[in-house]
Amino acid sequence: MATKLTVLSNGSLRVEGDFEIVDAQGQPYGLAGRERVSICRCGLSKNKPFCDGSHKGHFEHNAEAFDLPAPKV
């Protein structure tokens, strides 16, 4: 399965498929074989970069896809 990133309304970023998550120094996080994780985007998780559900009732964002403008050359 290709990597899929889903922006959830009022919540996290869900990552599914074949992926690796590394820190700023390039060291991988141990995912214990998971093929799906949720990444915090509200900043409230005590388990960053992973979501722990702390956003519930404290983070609002209606996730709706849109097209980015073409990059300037």
Side-chain angles (χ1 to χ4, degrees):
M1 172 189 212
T3 303
K4 179 180 176 183
L5 180 71
T6 305
V7 181
L8 301 173
S9 290
N10 305 323
S12 61
L13 299 172
R14 183 185 305 142
V15 185
E16 301 174 83
D18 184 23
F19 60 89
E20 178 180 44
I21 299 175
V22 299
D23 66 14
Q25 291 73 41
Q27 296 300 309
Y29 286 90
L31 302 178
R34 288 175 176 82
E35 294 181 357
R36 183 169 97 172
V37 297
S38 291
I39 303 296
C40 175
R41 64 182 182 116
C42 73
L44 299 173
S45 177
K46 291 177 180 56
N47 196 30
K48 288 190 244 356
F50 305 101
C51 177
D52 67 3
S54 294
H55 62 271
K56 290 185 176 30
H58 302 286
F59 181 72
E60 293 183 22
H61 175 259
N62 189 21
E64 292 183 15
F66 58 90
D67 293 332
L68 290 173
K72 295 181 181 186
V73 185

